[in-house]
Amino acid sequence: MPEGVTARTIIMNWYDQYSVPIYKYILKMINDTYQAEDLTQDTFIRAYKYLANKEIDYPKTFLYRIAHNIAIDYIRKQAPIQLVKNIFPDKKDTQISIETIVEGREEVKNMYKTLSGLKSSYRQVIILRKIEGFSIQETAQILDWSESKVKSTLFRAIRTLEDRLNKGGVMHERPGENET
């Protein structure tokens, strides 16, 4: 830790910078807004305790790793839950037809419902790589996997998600198909 900088100052800066994305990540994992708030706080408390003894080079991946572990611990303690129940708030946009809104909601709900039905490792890697946008290296650090495991699991996860969505008639393109 740099001289004159306290762990409290560092954690407060990290909280300002990362609390919202950490909260959103946890919320995607557990689908409970109040519990996600508590688990976000727990993430920063655990980071603070750890920071008192060590210096952290990559705070973003460090915090996501803690958030991941806390969310998984929470999920293990709970009965099976759906990842996402309500994707959009009940707001009406007068510029878009009701049919378009309903169709869009249904497609997103079906995608998230299908995602929640995947095994945990598939769901985790898709959320981190494709929804949260982490690199392969960052995802490997968060999940404590090798980079090759991230790549192969993501490949299988996307293929499984695509197959399940196609069986439901929801999606006809592979997620991320146009990526380079």
Side-chain angles (χ1 to χ4, degrees), residues 4-162:
V5 177
T6 65
R8 183 172 186 257
T9 303
I10 292 171
I11 268 308
M12 288 172 58
N13 289 335
W14 287 357
Y15 187 84
D16 289 343
Q17 190 172 1
Y18 299 113
S19 63
V20 172
I22 293 288
Y23 166 78
K24 288 178 180 178
Y25 170 69
I26 292 172
L27 182 60
K28 288 172 190 162
M29 294 288 288
I30 67 168
N31 192 34
D32 180 332
T33 55
Y34 297 113
Q35 193 61 42
E37 290 172 3
D38 289 345
L39 297 181
T40 300
Q41 296 301 319
D42 292 347
T43 298
F44 286 91
I45 290 169
R46 192 175 292 177
Y48 176 76
K49 290 177 182 176
Y50 186 87
L51 190 59
N53 301 322
K54 300 193 180 190
E55 193 168 320
I56 306 302
D57 293 329
Y58 303 101
K60 184 176 180 182
T61 53
F62 169 71
L63 291 169
Y64 269 86
R65 177 74 184 148
I66 293 172
H68 169 77
N69 289 338
I70 286 174
I72 293 300
D73 288 346
Y74 173 79
I75 290 168
R76 286 182 183 144
K77 292 176 185 173
Q78 303 302 308
I81 58 171
Q82 290 182 342
L83 267 180
V84 178
K85 291 180 183 175
N86 297 316
I87 304 303
F88 298 108
D90 291 318
K91 294 181 182 177
K92 294 182 181 178
D93 186 345
T94 57
Q95 301 295 326
I96 301 173
S97 73
I98 298 294
E99 287 179 17
T100 304
I101 293 171
V102 170
E103 288 173 10
R105 284 183 183 175
E106 287 304 312
E107 286 184 20
V108 171
K109 283 182 184 180
N110 286 335
M111 195 276 296
Y112 274 103
K113 182 178 179 184
T114 304
L115 180 64
S116 71
L118 297 178
K119 68 182 189 176
S120 179
S121 61
Y122 286 6
R123 187 173 60 244
Q124 292 167 13
V125 76
I126 288 174
I127 289 171
L128 288 170
R129 287 281 295 130
K130 298 301 180 184
I131 297 173
E132 293 296 325
F134 281 101
S135 70
I136 291 169
Q137 181 183 16
E138 290 169 328
T139 303
Q141 290 173 345
I142 291 167
L143 296 175
D144 198 24
W145 293 355
S146 68
E147 289 182 25
S148 61
K149 181 175 179 178
V150 170
K151 291 176 189 176
S152 63
T153 303
L154 181 62
F155 176 78
R156 288 191 301 271
I158 289 175
R159 191 171 57 200
T160 301
L161 180 62
E162 177 188 35

